[in-house]
Amino acid sequence: MIRALLPGALVCVLITQAQEPAPPPPLTYEVLLSRATSDPALLRLEADLAARRRQLATTGGLLREAPTLTAEAGRRSGPTTSSTDKVAMVDAPLLLAPAVRSSARESLDRAEGSLMALARAEARHRLRLAYLDAWLTAAQLRLRSSQLDLTNTWVRVAQARVDSGSDPSYQVDLVQGDLLRLRTELGDAQRKASEAWAALRALTDLPVDLQPLADPGPPALPAPDGLPDSFQKSLLRHALTDRTAADRTAFDLHQALKAARWSLKGSYASEGDERIARLGVAFRLPRSGELGAQKREAVTGRNALNREAETTAFQLESRFQTALTRLRTFGEPPTTHSFDAALKAVDLRLQEGKERPSDALLLRRQLLEAESASYQRLREAHALVAELDLLTLGDAR
């Protein structure tokens, strides 16, 4: 009877397993890129450019800002007659520096395209690094978790060997101590994986729970030849030049706006039977020491902008040279190397009594460090490729 039911039960189990949903495929970088959300740095740049556009829009031609119109009306009463007086006035502040505004507008037009293109490239770069960090921490978490399960079995093996008289009692203490260390390392690995996943979620539309990430695969390290020329013509350098010019002209326009003192004024009044039209100019007098302070502000502000531009250019050059040096000394492109076979061999030798627990622990520690280093080196290779891709990205104009 039981033998007759076994085939049917086996069929039911197979059908149930077939109906279970397949696990989701690991997330690749391309999938993450398609799920990318709005990058905060990109939004901040858009807000900054919009603010500069607004500042330019408030000026035009010879005007510092749009004219102010004033209209007034009031009742005039007298012994014999009454009427309504009307007054219309206009105040037009002047900006006697049309070339400064024109230069600011032209430099902003040039900078907007390159800065936005660079911001999008940097957003992709940040997402790429976040993906690599999340993948690395997840791989190291899996490695620690598997070894913790294995060490639990080693405790029983070590105890059995001690009970049989094959090993002294401290061998069990060594394995239990290693178990405590692994639990601590597992907790640290869980924290790092959670933090890396949170950083990735900040840039993409992902669930709260950790999802499997695809292996980044073998890195395509570029040849060093030709990279310096590509860097000189890169989007980063063009964007730096455009930003520097836009900052300088925006500063000059801001100084011109604060230095503007002349205004055109006009009025037209109707008072009873009389009609009165006036046209004149106004000049805002400076306070004592104001002109000298304004001149010092202009000089020191331009010096600061020039020095900041020089420092940024130097840092960018140093960043590229560092990446180029790392590329030339990196060696062969790494691949993910699994040490599962060696770890299983150590476990088997311990189970068969060919290795003491103390010796097996030492061998396993070396193998774990080697596998973790292989993951780290693969991540560094892909991060180096991402860095060089950003530094040598062609100009988008």
Side-chain angles (χ1 to χ4, degrees):
M1 179 68 179
I2 295 177
R3 292 182 178 179
L5 293 175
L6 284 177
L10 181 59
V11 171
C12 292
V13 171
L14 293 176
I15 294 176
T16 302
Q17 292 178 349
Q19 291 177 347
E20 291 181 356
L27 298 174
T28 63
Y29 170 68
E30 289 73 18
V31 172
L32 295 175
L33 197 59
S34 67
R35 298 186 184 181
T37 56
S38 299
D39 186 80
L42 181 59
L43 295 177
R44 173 52 56 191
L45 175 62
E46 291 177 348
D48 180 60
L49 293 174
R52 296 196 180 192
R53 288 291 180 188
R54 180 199 56 79
Q55 184 185 51
L56 284 173
T58 58
T59 66
L62 297 177
L63 295 180
R64 185 183 66 191
E65 58 189 40
T68 300
L69 299 176
T70 305
E72 298 178 355
R75 188 69 175 171
R76 177 191 290 267
S77 299
T80 59
T81 183
S82 62
S83 63
T84 300
D85 290 348
K86 306 179 189 67
V87 179
M89 295 178 290
V90 60
D91 182 6
L94 299 177
L95 177 65
L96 302 178
V100 174
R101 181 188 182 278
S102 178
S103 179
R105 185 187 66 252
E106 292 173 358
S107 62
L108 183 59
D109 290 339
R110 288 194 303 269
E112 188 168 12
S114 60
L115 291 179
M116 289 298 297
L118 177 60
R120 288 189 288 269
E122 288 178 333
R124 293 191 297 271
H125 179 71
R126 284 188 289 270
L127 176 58
R128 193 170 177 180
L129 294 183
Y131 153 69
L132 292 173
D133 290 339
W135 168 81
L136 174 63
T137 54
Q140 291 176 338
L141 176 59
R142 290 193 302 271
L143 184 62
R144 294 292 184 271
S145 180
S146 65
Q147 293 308 306
L148 181 65
D149 295 338
L150 179 62
T151 306
N152 282 318
T153 64
W154 283 18
V155 172
R156 295 190 293 270
V157 173
Q159 186 64 53
R161 290 172 60 86
V162 170
D163 294 341
S164 65
S166 301
D167 290 330
S169 59
Y170 67 80
Q171 292 288 344
V172 177
D173 296 332
L174 288 175
V175 179
Q176 289 178 339
D178 192 71
L179 182 63
L180 293 175
R181 180 185 53 77
L182 275 175
R183 285 173 177 167
T184 301
E185 291 181 355
L186 180 63
D188 187 59
Q190 289 173 336
R191 177 185 58 81
K192 291 180 179 179
S194 179
E195 291 175 352
W197 183 256
L200 185 60
R201 287 189 64 233
L203 303 176
T204 55
D205 183 15
L206 293 173
V208 177
D209 297 332
L210 296 178
Q211 301 292 316
L213 295 173
D215 190 296
L221 293 173
D225 299 337
L227 290 180
D229 185 62
S230 297
F231 170 70
Q232 295 299 326
K233 301 176 181 178
S234 65
L235 175 61
L236 262 172
R237 290 186 60 86
H238 283 297
L240 174 61
T241 302
D242 293 341
R243 178 185 285 277
T244 300
D247 289 343
R248 287 171 178 168
T249 54
F251 177 79
D252 292 340
L253 177 60
H254 186 63
Q255 293 297 309
L257 290 172
K258 291 194 294 184
R261 298 183 179 277
W262 291 94
S263 298
L264 285 177
K265 289 184 174 294
S267 65
Y268 177 81
S270 172
E271 300 178 358
D273 296 334
E274 298 179 352
R275 303 291 183 269
I276 305 169
R278 293 189 178 94
L279 181 64
V281 295
F283 180 77
R284 180 172 58 86
L285 296 174
R287 292 177 58 85
S288 176
E290 182 180 352
L291 295 179
Q294 182 177 334
K295 183 178 180 180
R296 286 193 299 274
E297 179 187 5
V299 172
T300 56
R302 291 189 185 96
N303 290 339
L305 287 175
N306 293 335
R307 184 54 183 158
E308 288 172 358
E310 292 173 358
T311 302
T312 304
F314 173 78
Q315 291 174 343
L316 182 60
E317 180 71 28
S318 177
R319 179 180 174 184
F320 171 73
Q321 293 300 331
T322 300
L324 189 61
T325 301
R326 289 177 57 204
L327 175 64
R328 287 170 173 165
T329 59
F330 197 85
E332 293 296 325
T335 58
T336 52
H337 183 74
S338 176
F339 291 82
D340 287 344
L343 289 168
K344 289 179 180 178
V346 173
D347 178 52
L348 181 61
R349 289 181 63 84
L350 178 65
Q351 300 281 355
E352 294 176 347
K354 297 179 180 179
E355 292 284 357
R356 280 190 166 190
S358 56
D359 298 331
L361 289 175
L362 179 60
L363 292 173
R364 193 193 61 181
R365 168 54 48 184
Q366 294 175 342
L367 292 172
L368 286 177
E369 291 178 353
E371 187 164 355
S372 179
S374 71
Y375 291 143
Q376 182 68 37
R377 182 166 173 78
L378 183 62
R379 186 265 175 203
E380 290 178 356
H382 279 281
L384 178 58
V385 173
E387 178 78 351
L388 290 170
D389 285 346
L390 179 63
L391 291 172
T392 59
L393 181 65
D395 191 2
R397 289 181 297 183

